[in-house]
PDB file of all heavy atoms in Angstrom:
ATOM      1  N   GLY A  22     -11.809   6.670   4.232  1.00 98.00           N
ATOM      2  CA  GLY A  22     -11.451   7.071   2.876  1.00 98.00           C
ATOM      3  C   GLY A  22     -12.550   6.747   1.876  1.00 98.00           C
ATOM      4  O   GLY A  22     -12.889   7.579   1.018  1.00 98.00           O
ATOM      5  N   LEU A  23     -13.136   5.558   1.984  1.00 98.00           N
ATOM      6  CA  LEU A  23     -14.211   5.174   1.078  1.00 98.00           C
ATOM      7  C   LEU A  23     -15.416   6.097   1.229  1.00 98.00           C
ATOM      8  O   LEU A  23     -16.033   6.516   0.240  1.00 98.00           O
ATOM      9  CB  LEU A  23     -14.625   3.726   1.332  1.00 98.00           C
ATOM     10  CG  LEU A  23     -13.606   2.650   0.946  1.00 98.00           C
ATOM     11  CD1 LEU A  23     -14.120   1.268   1.353  1.00 98.00           C
ATOM     12  CD2 LEU A  23     -13.321   2.686  -0.558  1.00 98.00           C
ATOM     13  N   ARG A  24     -15.755   6.438   2.474  1.00 98.00           N
ATOM     14  CA  ARG A  24     -16.893   7.330   2.720  1.00 98.00           C
ATOM     15  C   ARG A  24     -16.639   8.720   2.145  1.00 98.00           C
ATOM     16  O   ARG A  24     -17.535   9.330   1.545  1.00 98.00           O
ATOM     17  CB  ARG A  24     -17.159   7.428   4.220  1.00 98.00           C
ATOM     18  CG  ARG A  24     -17.789   6.185   4.824  1.00 98.00           C
ATOM     19  CD  ARG A  24     -17.738   6.200   6.337  1.00 98.00           C
ATOM     20  NE  ARG A  24     -18.312   7.410   6.915  1.00 98.00           N
ATOM     21  CZ  ARG A  24     -18.172   7.753   8.192  1.00 98.00           C
ATOM     22  NH1 ARG A  24     -17.460   6.986   9.013  1.00 98.00           N
ATOM     23  NH2 ARG A  24     -18.735   8.863   8.642  1.00 98.00           N
ATOM     24  N   LEU A  25     -15.437   9.224   2.316  1.00 98.00           N
ATOM     25  CA  LEU A  25     -15.132  10.575   1.845  1.00 98.00           C
ATOM     26  C   LEU A  25     -15.035  10.629   0.320  1.00 98.00           C
ATOM     27  O   LEU A  25     -15.441  11.626  -0.294  1.00 98.00           O
ATOM     28  CB  LEU A  25     -13.831  11.062   2.487  1.00 98.00           C
ATOM     29  CG  LEU A  25     -13.917  11.266   4.006  1.00 98.00           C
ATOM     30  CD1 LEU A  25     -12.537  11.514   4.597  1.00 98.00           C
ATOM     31  CD2 LEU A  25     -14.858  12.426   4.338  1.00 98.00           C
ATOM     32  N   ILE A  26     -14.525   9.575  -0.283  1.00 98.00           N
ATOM     33  CA  ILE A  26     -14.490   9.512  -1.753  1.00 98.00           C
ATOM     34  C   ILE A  26     -15.912   9.520  -2.299  1.00 98.00           C
ATOM     35  O   ILE A  26     -16.235  10.224  -3.264  1.00 98.00           O
ATOM     36  CB  ILE A  26     -13.719   8.259  -2.212  1.00 98.00           C
ATOM     37  CG1 ILE A  26     -12.221   8.418  -1.914  1.00 98.00           C
ATOM     38  CG2 ILE A  26     -13.943   8.007  -3.706  1.00 98.00           C
ATOM     39  CD1 ILE A  26     -11.412   7.150  -2.096  1.00 98.00           C
ATOM     40  N   GLU A  27     -16.786   8.746  -1.663  1.00 98.00           N
ATOM     41  CA  GLU A  27     -18.192   8.703  -2.083  1.00 98.00           C
ATOM     42  C   GLU A  27     -18.847  10.075  -1.925  1.00 98.00           C
ATOM     43  O   GLU A  27     -19.744  10.451  -2.700  1.00 98.00           O
ATOM     44  CB  GLU A  27     -18.951   7.656  -1.264  1.00 98.00           C
ATOM     45  CG  GLU A  27     -20.383   7.440  -1.721  1.00 98.00           C
ATOM     46  CD  GLU A  27     -21.077   6.342  -0.938  1.00 98.00           C
ATOM     47  OE1 GLU A  27     -20.418   5.687  -0.105  1.00 98.00           O
ATOM     48  OE2 GLU A  27     -22.292   6.140  -1.157  1.00 98.00           O
ATOM     49  N   ALA A  28     -18.405  10.850  -0.914  1.00 97.00           N
ATOM     50  CA  ALA A  28     -18.968  12.184  -0.682  1.00 97.00           C
ATOM     51  C   ALA A  28     -18.400  13.231  -1.631  1.00 97.00           C
ATOM     52  O   ALA A  28     -18.768  14.407  -1.546  1.00 97.00           O
ATOM     53  CB  ALA A  28     -18.716  12.603   0.760  1.00 97.00           C
ATOM     54  N   GLY A  29     -17.478  12.817  -2.495  1.00 97.00           N
ATOM     55  CA  GLY A  29     -16.945  13.740  -3.496  1.00 97.00           C
ATOM     56  C   GLY A  29     -15.681  14.464  -3.099  1.00 97.00           C
ATOM     57  O   GLY A  29     -15.319  15.472  -3.720  1.00 97.00           O
ATOM     58  N   ALA A  30     -14.981  13.976  -2.074  1.00 98.00           N
ATOM     59  CA  ALA A  30     -13.729  14.611  -1.676  1.00 98.00           C
ATOM     60  C   ALA A  30     -12.674  14.409  -2.756  1.00 98.00           C
ATOM     61  O   ALA A  30     -12.540  13.313  -3.312  1.00 98.00           O
ATOM     62  CB  ALA A  30     -13.244  14.027  -0.352  1.00 98.00           C
ATOM     63  N   THR A  31     -11.933  15.458  -3.053  1.00 98.00           N
ATOM     64  CA  THR A  31     -10.781  15.337  -3.955  1.00 98.00           C
ATOM     65  C   THR A  31      -9.476  15.285  -3.165  1.00 98.00           C
ATOM     66  O   THR A  31      -8.414  15.060  -3.734  1.00 98.00           O
ATOM     67  CB  THR A  31     -10.724  16.520  -4.933  1.00 98.00           C
ATOM     68  OG1 THR A  31     -10.545  17.737  -4.188  1.00 98.00           O
ATOM     69  CG2 THR A  31     -12.003  16.609  -5.750  1.00 98.00           C
ATOM     70  N   ALA A  32      -9.574  15.518  -1.849  1.00 98.00           N
ATOM     71  CA  ALA A  32      -8.406  15.468  -0.969  1.00 98.00           C
ATOM     72  C   ALA A  32      -8.869  15.070   0.427  1.00 98.00           C
ATOM     73  O   ALA A  32      -9.997  15.385   0.829  1.00 98.00           O
ATOM     74  CB  ALA A  32      -7.691  16.815  -0.922  1.00 98.00           C
ATOM     75  N   VAL A  33      -7.997  14.389   1.167  1.00 98.00           N
ATOM     76  CA  VAL A  33      -8.342  13.920   2.514  1.00 98.00           C
ATOM     77  C   VAL A  33      -7.192  14.209   3.462  1.00 98.00           C
ATOM     78  O   VAL A  33      -6.027  13.909   3.160  1.00 98.00           O
ATOM     79  CB  VAL A  33      -8.642  12.401   2.530  1.00 98.00           C
ATOM     80  CG1 VAL A  33      -8.824  11.902   3.968  1.00 98.00           C
ATOM     81  CG2 VAL A  33      -9.881  12.086   1.709  1.00 98.00           C
ATOM     82  N   VAL A  34      -7.527  14.800   4.611  1.00 98.00           N
ATOM     83  CA  VAL A  34      -6.583  14.967   5.714  1.00 98.00           C
ATOM     84  C   VAL A  34      -6.865  13.849   6.709  1.00 98.00           C
ATOM     85  O   VAL A  34      -7.997  13.719   7.195  1.00 98.00           O
ATOM     86  CB  VAL A  34      -6.762  16.332   6.404  1.00 98.00           C
ATOM     87  CG1 VAL A  34      -5.794  16.468   7.579  1.00 98.00           C
ATOM     88  CG2 VAL A  34      -6.571  17.465   5.409  1.00 98.00           C
ATOM     89  N   ALA A  35      -5.866  13.037   7.013  1.00 98.00           N
ATOM     90  CA  ALA A  35      -6.048  11.907   7.929  1.00 98.00           C
ATOM     91  C   ALA A  35      -5.470  12.234   9.301  1.00 98.00           C
ATOM     92  O   ALA A  35      -4.529  13.029   9.414  1.00 98.00           O
ATOM     93  CB  ALA A  35      -5.387  10.652   7.369  1.00 98.00           C
ATOM     94  N   GLY A  36      -6.018  11.599  10.335  1.00 97.00           N
ATOM     95  CA  GLY A  36      -5.602  11.875  11.701  1.00 97.00           C
ATOM     96  C   GLY A  36      -4.274  11.272  12.092  1.00 97.00           C
ATOM     97  O   GLY A  36      -3.733  11.594  13.154  1.00 97.00           O
ATOM     98  N   SER A  37      -3.724  10.392  11.268  1.00 96.00           N
ATOM     99  CA  SER A  37      -2.409   9.801  11.533  1.00 96.00           C
ATOM    100  C   SER A  37      -1.860   9.265  10.219  1.00 96.00           C
ATOM    101  O   SER A  37      -2.599   9.084   9.243  1.00 96.00           O
ATOM    102  CB  SER A  37      -2.498   8.670  12.565  1.00 96.00           C
ATOM    103  OG  SER A  37      -3.152   7.535  12.016  1.00 96.00           O
ATOM    104  N   ASP A  38      -0.569   8.985  10.196  1.00 97.00           N
ATOM    105  CA  ASP A  38       0.024   8.382   8.999  1.00 97.00           C
ATOM    106  C   ASP A  38      -0.563   7.004   8.741  1.00 97.00           C
ATOM    107  O   ASP A  38      -0.766   6.598   7.590  1.00 97.00           O
ATOM    108  CB  ASP A  38       1.538   8.266   9.163  1.00 97.00           C
ATOM    109  CG  ASP A  38       2.242   9.614   9.115  1.00 97.00           C
ATOM    110  OD1 ASP A  38       1.620  10.592   8.661  1.00 97.00           O
ATOM    111  OD2 ASP A  38       3.408   9.687   9.562  1.00 97.00           O
ATOM    112  N   LEU A  39      -0.833   6.254   9.805  1.00 96.00           N
ATOM    113  CA  LEU A  39      -1.412   4.920   9.655  1.00 96.00           C
ATOM    114  C   LEU A  39      -2.781   5.014   8.994  1.00 96.00           C
ATOM    115  O   LEU A  39      -3.106   4.236   8.086  1.00 96.00           O
ATOM    116  CB  LEU A  39      -1.520   4.253  11.030  1.00 96.00           C
ATOM    117  CG  LEU A  39      -1.736   2.739  11.057  1.00 96.00           C
ATOM    118  CD1 LEU A  39      -0.579   2.014  10.387  1.00 96.00           C
ATOM    119  CD2 LEU A  39      -1.893   2.264  12.502  1.00 96.00           C
ATOM    120  N   MET A  40      -3.598   5.965   9.437  1.00 97.00           N
ATOM    121  CA  MET A  40      -4.901   6.179   8.810  1.00 97.00           C
ATOM    122  C   MET A  40      -4.733   6.596   7.352  1.00 97.00           C
ATOM    123  O   MET A  40      -5.504   6.178   6.479  1.00 97.00           O
ATOM    124  CB  MET A  40      -5.681   7.244   9.575  1.00 97.00           C
ATOM    125  CG  MET A  40      -6.112   6.831  10.961  1.00 97.00           C
ATOM    126  SD  MET A  40      -6.855   8.217  11.859  1.00 97.00           S
ATOM    127  CE  MET A  40      -8.394   8.399  10.956  1.00 97.00           C
ATOM    128  N   ALA A  41      -3.735   7.419   7.077  1.00 98.00           N
ATOM    129  CA  ALA A  41      -3.507   7.885   5.712  1.00 98.00           C
ATOM    130  C   ALA A  41      -3.185   6.717   4.779  1.00 98.00           C
ATOM    131  O   ALA A  41      -3.605   6.712   3.610  1.00 98.00           O
ATOM    132  CB  ALA A  41      -2.376   8.911   5.680  1.00 98.00           C
ATOM    133  N   LEU A  42      -2.459   5.720   5.279  1.00 97.00           N
ATOM    134  CA  LEU A  42      -2.196   4.532   4.457  1.00 97.00           C
ATOM    135  C   LEU A  42      -3.500   3.827   4.118  1.00 97.00           C
ATOM    136  O   LEU A  42      -3.671   3.280   3.018  1.00 97.00           O
ATOM    137  CB  LEU A  42      -1.250   3.581   5.192  1.00 97.00           C
ATOM    138  CG  LEU A  42       0.178   4.074   5.436  1.00 97.00           C
ATOM    139  CD1 LEU A  42       1.024   2.961   6.048  1.00 97.00           C
ATOM    140  CD2 LEU A  42       0.824   4.558   4.139  1.00 97.00           C
ATOM    141  N   GLY A  43      -4.431   3.808   5.089  1.00 98.00           N
ATOM    142  CA  GLY A  43      -5.747   3.232   4.816  1.00 98.00           C
ATOM    143  C   GLY A  43      -6.494   4.029   3.751  1.00 98.00           C
ATOM    144  O   GLY A  43      -7.186   3.461   2.904  1.00 98.00           O
ATOM    145  N   VAL A  44      -6.371   5.357   3.774  1.00 98.00           N
ATOM    146  CA  VAL A  44      -7.006   6.196   2.748  1.00 98.00           C
ATOM    147  C   VAL A  44      -6.379   5.921   1.381  1.00 98.00           C
ATOM    148  O   VAL A  44      -7.089   5.866   0.364  1.00 98.00           O
ATOM    149  CB  VAL A  44      -6.872   7.692   3.116  1.00 98.00           C
ATOM    150  CG1 VAL A  44      -7.449   8.570   1.999  1.00 98.00           C
ATOM    151  CG2 VAL A  44      -7.587   7.986   4.431  1.00 98.00           C
ATOM    152  N   LEU A  45      -5.067   5.723   1.323  1.00 98.00           N
ATOM    153  CA  LEU A  45      -4.409   5.365   0.068  1.00 98.00           C
ATOM    154  C   LEU A  45      -4.969   4.060  -0.481  1.00 98.00           C
ATOM    155  O   LEU A  45      -5.211   3.925  -1.692  1.00 98.00           O
ATOM    156  CB  LEU A  45      -2.902   5.243   0.270  1.00 98.00           C
ATOM    157  CG  LEU A  45      -2.105   6.515   0.573  1.00 98.00           C
ATOM    158  CD1 LEU A  45      -0.633   6.187   0.792  1.00 98.00           C
ATOM    159  CD2 LEU A  45      -2.258   7.531  -0.550  1.00 98.00           C
ATOM    160  N   ALA A  46      -5.206   3.093   0.403  1.00 98.00           N
ATOM    161  CA  ALA A  46      -5.781   1.814  -0.022  1.00 98.00           C
ATOM    162  C   ALA A  46      -7.197   2.016  -0.553  1.00 98.00           C
ATOM    163  O   ALA A  46      -7.612   1.373  -1.532  1.00 98.00           O
ATOM    164  CB  ALA A  46      -5.788   0.829   1.147  1.00 98.00           C
ATOM    165  N   ALA A  47      -7.968   2.913   0.091  1.00 98.00           N
ATOM    166  CA  ALA A  47      -9.323   3.211  -0.377  1.00 98.00           C
ATOM    167  C   ALA A  47      -9.285   3.828  -1.772  1.00 98.00           C
ATOM    168  O   ALA A  47     -10.136   3.530  -2.625  1.00 98.00           O
ATOM    169  CB  ALA A  47     -10.022   4.138   0.608  1.00 98.00           C
ATOM    170  N   ALA A  48      -8.315   4.709  -2.011  1.00 98.00           N
ATOM    171  CA  ALA A  48      -8.180   5.329  -3.332  1.00 98.00           C
ATOM    172  C   ALA A  48      -7.893   4.277  -4.396  1.00 98.00           C
ATOM    173  O   ALA A  48      -8.476   4.298  -5.498  1.00 98.00           O
ATOM    174  CB  ALA A  48      -7.084   6.387  -3.301  1.00 98.00           C
ATOM    175  N   ARG A  49      -7.000   3.342  -4.084  1.00 97.00           N
ATOM    176  CA  ARG A  49      -6.696   2.277  -5.040  1.00 97.00           C
ATOM    177  C   ARG A  49      -7.943   1.441  -5.314  1.00 97.00           C
ATOM    178  O   ARG A  49      -8.211   1.075  -6.457  1.00 97.00           O
ATOM    179  CB  ARG A  49      -5.565   1.390  -4.507  1.00 97.00           C
ATOM    180  CG  ARG A  49      -4.185   2.039  -4.584  1.00 97.00           C
ATOM    181  CD  ARG A  49      -3.075   1.035  -4.330  1.00 97.00           C
ATOM    182  NE  ARG A  49      -3.107   0.543  -2.959  1.00 97.00           N
ATOM    183  CZ  ARG A  49      -2.445   1.099  -1.954  1.00 97.00           C
ATOM    184  NH1 ARG A  49      -1.732   2.195  -2.164  1.00 97.00           N
ATOM    185  NH2 ARG A  49      -2.507   0.582  -0.749  1.00 97.00           N
ATOM    186  N   GLN A  50      -8.693   1.132  -4.256  1.00 98.00           N
ATOM    187  CA  GLN A  50      -9.908   0.340  -4.417  1.00 98.00           C
ATOM    188  C   GLN A  50     -10.920   1.058  -5.303  1.00 98.00           C
ATOM    189  O   GLN A  50     -11.645   0.439  -6.077  1.00 98.00           O
ATOM    190  CB  GLN A  50     -10.531   0.046  -3.053  1.00 98.00           C
ATOM    191  CG  GLN A  50     -11.775  -0.821  -3.113  1.00 98.00           C
ATOM    192  CD  GLN A  50     -12.293  -1.161  -1.712  1.00 98.00           C
ATOM    193  OE1 GLN A  50     -11.515  -1.283  -0.770  1.00 98.00           O
ATOM    194  NE2 GLN A  50     -13.605  -1.323  -1.585  1.00 98.00           N
ATOM    195  N   ALA A  51     -10.982   2.389  -5.175  1.00 97.00           N
ATOM    196  CA  ALA A  51     -11.922   3.177  -5.965  1.00 97.00           C
ATOM    197  C   ALA A  51     -11.388   3.507  -7.362  1.00 97.00           C
ATOM    198  O   ALA A  51     -12.070   4.166  -8.144  1.00 97.00           O
ATOM    199  CB  ALA A  51     -12.253   4.469  -5.221  1.00 97.00           C
ATOM    200  N   GLY A  52     -10.165   3.053  -7.652  1.00 97.00           N
ATOM    201  CA  GLY A  52      -9.584   3.314  -8.967  1.00 97.00           C
ATOM    202  C   GLY A  52      -9.096   4.734  -9.155  1.00 97.00           C
ATOM    203  O   GLY A  52      -8.997   5.222 -10.288  1.00 97.00           O
ATOM    204  N   LEU A  53      -8.775   5.404  -8.050  1.00 98.00           N
ATOM    205  CA  LEU A  53      -8.318   6.788  -8.118  1.00 98.00           C
ATOM    206  C   LEU A  53      -6.801   6.851  -7.949  1.00 98.00           C
ATOM    207  O   LEU A  53      -6.264   6.367  -6.950  1.00 98.00           O
ATOM    208  CB  LEU A  53      -8.970   7.626  -7.014  1.00 98.00           C
ATOM    209  CG  LEU A  53     -10.479   7.820  -7.090  1.00 98.00           C
ATOM    210  CD1 LEU A  53     -10.965   8.573  -5.860  1.00 98.00           C
ATOM    211  CD2 LEU A  53     -10.870   8.562  -8.360  1.00 98.00           C
ATOM    212  N   PRO A  54      -6.096   7.445  -8.902  1.00 97.00           N
ATOM    213  CA  PRO A  54      -4.644   7.622  -8.705  1.00 97.00           C
ATOM    214  C   PRO A  54      -4.385   8.682  -7.644  1.00 97.00           C
ATOM    215  O   PRO A  54      -5.194   9.594  -7.439  1.00 97.00           O
ATOM    216  CB  PRO A  54      -4.159   8.092 -10.072  1.00 97.00           C
ATOM    217  CG  PRO A  54      -5.348   8.762 -10.684  1.00 97.00           C
ATOM    218  CD  PRO A  54      -6.557   8.015 -10.188  1.00 97.00           C
ATOM    219  N   VAL A  55      -3.259   8.540  -6.966  1.00 98.00           N
ATOM    220  CA  VAL A  55      -2.836   9.517  -5.958  1.00 98.00           C
ATOM    221  C   VAL A  55      -1.524  10.124  -6.445  1.00 98.00           C
ATOM    222  O   VAL A  55      -0.568   9.403  -6.712  1.00 98.00           O
ATOM    223  CB  VAL A  55      -2.638   8.843  -4.583  1.00 98.00           C
ATOM    224  CG1 VAL A  55      -2.104   9.843  -3.561  1.00 98.00           C
ATOM    225  CG2 VAL A  55      -3.959   8.251  -4.083  1.00 98.00           C
ATOM    226  N   PRO A  56      -1.491  11.462  -6.621  1.00 97.00           N
ATOM    227  CA  PRO A  56      -2.488  12.458  -6.204  1.00 97.00           C
ATOM    228  C   PRO A  56      -3.464  12.890  -7.290  1.00 97.00           C
ATOM    229  O   PRO A  56      -4.299  13.762  -7.033  1.00 97.00           O
ATOM    230  CB  PRO A  56      -1.613  13.632  -5.796  1.00 97.00           C
ATOM    231  CG  PRO A  56      -0.480  13.595  -6.777  1.00 97.00           C
ATOM    232  CD  PRO A  56      -0.211  12.123  -7.020  1.00 97.00           C
ATOM    233  N   GLY A  57      -3.382  12.328  -8.510  1.00 95.00           N
ATOM    234  CA  GLY A  57      -4.215  12.804  -9.605  1.00 95.00           C
ATOM    235  C   GLY A  57      -5.702  12.713  -9.352  1.00 95.00           C
ATOM    236  O   GLY A  57      -6.461  13.603  -9.721  1.00 95.00           O
ATOM    237  N   GLY A  58      -6.131  11.617  -8.679  1.00 97.00           N
ATOM    238  CA  GLY A  58      -7.549  11.453  -8.389  1.00 97.00           C
ATOM    239  C   GLY A  58      -7.912  11.795  -6.962  1.00 97.00           C
ATOM    240  O   GLY A  58      -9.055  12.169  -6.678  1.00 97.00           O
TER     241      GLY A  58
END
């Protein structure tokens, strides 16, 4: 999630729900609201 946010992704498809929770944590770390950011 951190790598994709840095690459300018506005949306991420994760390979599992568990991975998606990790992407949500990355968004919070980057200060991005979900789904607004």
